[in-house]
Amino acid sequence: MPSTPTTPTVSVVIVSRDRPLALDLCLTGVAQLDYPAFEVVVVACPRGCAQVADRRDAGLIKLIPYDEPNISAARNRGVAQAAGEIVAFIDDDAVPEPTWLHHLTQPFVTPEVAAAGGYVRGRNGISFQWKARSVDHRGNTADLDLGGDAPRVLSPAEGRAIKLEGTNMALRRDLLAEIGGFDPGFRFYLDETDLNMRLARAGHLTAIVPLAQVHHGYGASVRRGRDRTPRDLREIGASQMLFLRKHCPEADRQDAWDHFRAQQRLRLLRLMQTGPLAADDVAHLLRGLERGRRDGLARSPDSLQPLPRAARGFLARPAATGEAPLILGGWVWQRRRLRQQALRARTAGRGVTLFLLSPTALYHRVRFRAEGWWEQTGGVYGRSLRSQPLLRIQRLRSRLREEVNRLRNLRFLTD
């Protein structure tokens, strides 16, 4: 599909390993993106490939089998098959808001912008995991206060980079391929941060786009539990040491490593105090971190070679129906009828946001259901944004109107 100056073609790259159900949910969300020119590229293990093959839209997905635990190498395989002008990345345990690409691509109308990233919401679907941050040569991050929802094009300070999140970022495909993509030495952790530092060192501009939002679920893996409790720190240690060797002045490296190790130890001790870890677990994880440090010292930073162009052309998704998203709302005891309405609308190809509220002060939660609609639950008198008062007396209709207004620019909702 040809692009225009305001709608470049986009390849959405998703890497998945041993999380087939999460991948399926992610793909269901990606299929609802309100953007006229995008393709989907999935790099997956055998279980992920089987899940994709079972989908009705399997013929619209570029599927690349890959079964090694190396996210950088997997992403590079995705970039090599991406035929879009822009490559956007999202994790398999995340779901994008329907307007994600619409907002994320806007800064690329400025030729000097090489990359862009958005905000990431956490498991409750309301609070943010990450917003705007910068990162230094030690890998330490600092929040950036941008203010407002407008995109901001940023130039990094000396020794720092604009920090993008691997689950919500986009880059110009030709530039990314020219610099060799991601360094495979970063098998897990700091892979995109290394890329951020390389872009900053080359003088490229990065944009932060607050309205380009994804919901990140923190899916379980071999390295962490669903509650984010670490199971293994070896690859984290290896990546941290490799990052310091690439970006931190030699005289500062040992102090930077000692500080990083102390932070990891403190994190583990806190988890031991709250219950998920025992003392033996902490000792085991710290030994893995030390083994990772030695691995990182042994890894030679790759001399990255340019990535090839896609052998297959742009595999465009069909255009959306163009019908406005459906808004449904009512009391939680009406959920059966309202969910049936939501399912009928989704079957017809329409986007749906469903509010199921109770006459309580319960906090609100948002989730994207496997059936394909957004569902928000909580109390009419309770918080959605966590900065709101604990209790506000409201009618159902006025509260629904308030929540629709909050989400209007994320889902193109209209009253």
Side-chain angles (χ1 to χ4, degrees):
M1 181 182 295
S3 64
T4 72
T6 56
T7 57
T9 54
V10 179
S11 299
V12 177
V13 172
I14 307 165
V15 170
S16 184
R17 184 170 173 79
D18 294 330
R19 293 194 292 218
L21 295 182
L23 172 62
D24 194 55
L25 187 68
C26 175
L27 288 170
T28 298
V30 167
Q32 294 186 30
L33 288 171
D34 192 335
Y35 193 79
F38 77 99
E39 67 174 2
V40 179
V41 182
V42 174
V43 185
C45 66
R47 293 174 65 201
C49 288
Q51 190 73 41
V52 172
D54 283 343
R55 290 181 57 88
R56 294 174 59 184
D57 61 353
L60 296 172
I61 297 171
K62 290 182 176 178
L63 182 59
I64 305 162
Y66 184 70
D67 197 22
E68 297 294 328
N70 188 322
I71 192 170
S72 294
R75 282 178 172 159
N76 286 348
R77 280 162 172 76
V79 174
Q81 297 303 319
E85 299 161 79
I86 306 297
V87 182
F89 296 91
I90 186 170
D91 288 350
D92 63 352
D93 60 347
V95 177
E97 287 284 352
T99 58
W100 176 51
L101 290 183
H102 168 81
H103 294 297
L104 190 60
T105 57
Q106 288 182 2
F108 290 103
V109 300
T110 302
E112 293 77 17
V113 171
Y119 286 6
V120 180
R121 293 188 185 268
R123 282 185 182 165
N124 64 25
I126 302 286
S127 304
F128 287 107
Q129 282 178 1
W130 302 301
K131 296 173 74 173
R133 300 191 293 172
S134 66
V135 63
D136 67 11
H137 60 266
R138 288 178 163 220
N140 296 328
T141 59
D143 291 338
L144 298 173
D145 185 10
L146 301 186
D149 289 335
R152 290 279 299 276
V153 177
L154 302 173
S155 181
E158 182 69 27
R160 300 192 71 88
I162 305 305
K163 177 76 172 74
L164 301 182
E165 309 302 336
T167 192
N168 186 359
M169 66 180 185
L171 298 98
R172 294 189 188 275
R173 194 270 175 203
D174 286 349
L175 172 63
L176 181 57
E178 179 184 339
I179 65 174
F182 297 84
D183 185 343
F186 296 91
R187 301 171 189 169
F188 170 79
Y189 187 67
L190 294 177
D191 38 292
E192 72 271 20
T193 310
D194 168 69
L195 178 62
N196 297 158
M197 294 296 288
R198 288 156 52 203
L199 291 173
R201 194 160 53 237
H204 296 296
L205 299 183
T206 297
I208 297 295
V209 191
L211 288 176
Q213 296 184 14
V214 304
H215 296 245
H216 186 216
Y218 267 124
S221 71
V222 296
R223 297 185 181 93
R224 69 172 181 233
R226 180 163 172 75
D227 62 356
R228 299 175 64 182
T229 300
R231 295 172 174 168
D232 180 40
L233 294 180
R234 184 167 183 166
E235 281 300 335
I236 286 178
S239 289
Q240 179 68 25
M241 179 50 68
L242 180 59
F243 183 89
L244 294 177
R245 290 176 61 209
K246 288 187 69 171
H247 302 292
C248 185
E250 187 173 359
D252 193 28
R253 282 179 202 162
Q254 186 60 51
D255 183 67
W257 172 262
D258 291 343
H259 180 70
F260 171 76
R261 186 187 185 282
Q263 286 182 316
Q264 292 297 312
R265 181 175 181 274
L266 181 60
R267 176 169 74 108
L268 297 178
L269 291 176
R270 286 172 177 162
L271 288 169
M272 187 176 73
Q273 289 174 340
T274 56
L277 295 179
D280 288 348
D281 297 323
V282 172
H284 170 75
L285 288 164
L286 288 175
R287 285 194 296 270
L289 188 71
E290 176 59 25
R291 285 193 293 271
R293 182 188 71 83
R294 294 195 295 268
D295 290 347
L297 287 171
R299 289 180 191 174
S300 298
D302 280 7
S303 177
L304 302 178
Q305 300 300 313
L307 301 176
R309 299 199 65 83
R312 185 179 179 186
F314 189 74
L315 184 60
R317 303 282 305 198
T321 62
E323 205 171 355
L326 176 64
I327 303 169
L328 297 171
W331 296 110
V332 67
W333 52 82
Q334 299 172 312
R335 58 183 174 270
R336 182 175 179 180
R337 174 178 59 84
L338 291 170
R339 284 173 176 166
Q340 287 174 343
Q341 287 182 250
L343 184 58
R344 287 195 296 270
R346 276 304 309 138
T347 302
R350 196 172 180 187
V352 179
T353 295
L354 170 60
F355 299 93
L356 295 174
L357 304 185
S358 61
T360 68
L362 290 173
Y363 284 15
H364 286 220
R365 298 182 64 86
V366 175
R367 59 184 289 227
F368 184 75
R369 290 178 60 96
E371 299 93 332
W373 66 80
W374 295 91
E375 188 168 294
Q376 181 168 332
T377 58
V380 171
Y381 318 126
R383 290 175 169 176
S384 54
L385 298 177
R386 286 0 187 200
S387 59
Q388 292 173 338
L390 279 172
L391 178 67
R392 290 180 302 156
I393 304 302
Q394 288 180 283
R395 294 181 180 275
L396 175 63
R397 181 173 296 182
S398 62
R399 185 56 191 267
L400 290 174
R401 186 181 306 115
E402 176 184 296
E403 294 305 313
V404 168
N405 284 332
R406 182 178 68 83
L407 298 169
R408 190 178 303 277
N409 290 329
L410 296 179
R411 298 186 201 150
F412 290 146
L413 299 183
T414 57
D415 295 330

